[in-house]
Amino acid sequence: MTSQIKDKKKIGRLKKRADFLLMNTKGKRWVTPAFAVQVLEKESETPYLVGFTATKKFSKRAVDRNRAKRRLRALVEENLSQLAKEGYAYVFIARDECLNVSFEQMKQDLRWALKRLECLARTFVR
């Protein structure tokens, strides 16, 4: 178990509003039924920078917004280091189907979105 943890690369977090606004204006975007992904090449000490958001437009209930962000965090923790190129910042935005679609479908959507955004690592483990 500890060997798996050592193999995972460190994922940094985007938390400042200015970072999210920069991603929104300059980043590329791909939309799936469950989430939208924004990508921007960015220098950092960590290989990946990731931010998550679920707005009140997604759901008025905080419980639903928190659950959607938990699902997106789990998706990223499990798959980003295998699928994505390093040196990029990623923002995941929860959409209407985030709570209804299966986790396997979200994985497929993530792989497809990264491919379309030209951020899919050439060698990834299936």
Side-chain angles (χ1 to χ4, degrees):
M1 182 88 172
T2 56
S3 63
Q4 278 184 326
I5 295 171
K6 288 181 183 178
D7 292 343
K8 289 194 176 189
K9 296 179 178 152
K10 181 84 171 128
I11 297 175
R13 291 292 303 272
L14 294 174
K15 293 185 179 181
K16 295 182 181 175
R17 185 172 189 270
D19 293 334
F20 284 89
L21 292 176
L22 180 68
M23 295 290 290
N24 196 26
T25 57
K26 295 191 178 183
K28 295 187 290 185
R29 175 188 300 226
W30 188 260
V31 178
T32 70
F35 58 88
V37 183
Q38 295 175 334
V39 176
L40 183 65
E41 195 165 357
K42 195 165 184 164
E43 292 294 322
S44 170
E45 297 95 33
T46 58
Y48 311 101
L49 290 174
V50 181
F52 304 95
T53 186
T55 64
K56 284 190 179 179
K57 184 178 176 183
F58 166 72
S59 175
K60 299 290 183 205
R61 297 177 41 180
V63 173
D64 293 337
R65 294 193 306 269
N66 291 339
R67 183 167 178 244
K69 287 189 280 187
R70 279 196 308 272
R71 289 194 80 194
L72 291 173
R73 279 193 297 267
L75 178 72
V76 167
E77 288 173 7
E78 188 175 309
N79 297 294
L80 195 68
S81 62
Q82 297 171 355
L83 296 176
K85 285 183 181 178
E86 294 182 12
Y88 285 85
Y90 301 88
V91 171
F92 291 84
I93 303 167
R95 296 201 64 227
D96 294 337
E97 291 298 312
C98 189
L99 300 178
N100 301 327
V101 75
S102 71
F103 199 72
E104 286 300 316
Q105 183 62 45
M106 288 177 73
K107 282 189 207 177
Q108 291 175 358
D109 289 345
L110 176 63
R111 184 176 292 126
W112 179 250
L114 293 176
K115 181 178 179 181
R116 297 298 294 179
L117 292 168
E118 299 171 355
C119 294
L120 186 66
R122 294 218 180 260
T123 58
F124 61 88
V125 180
R126 286 191 172 196

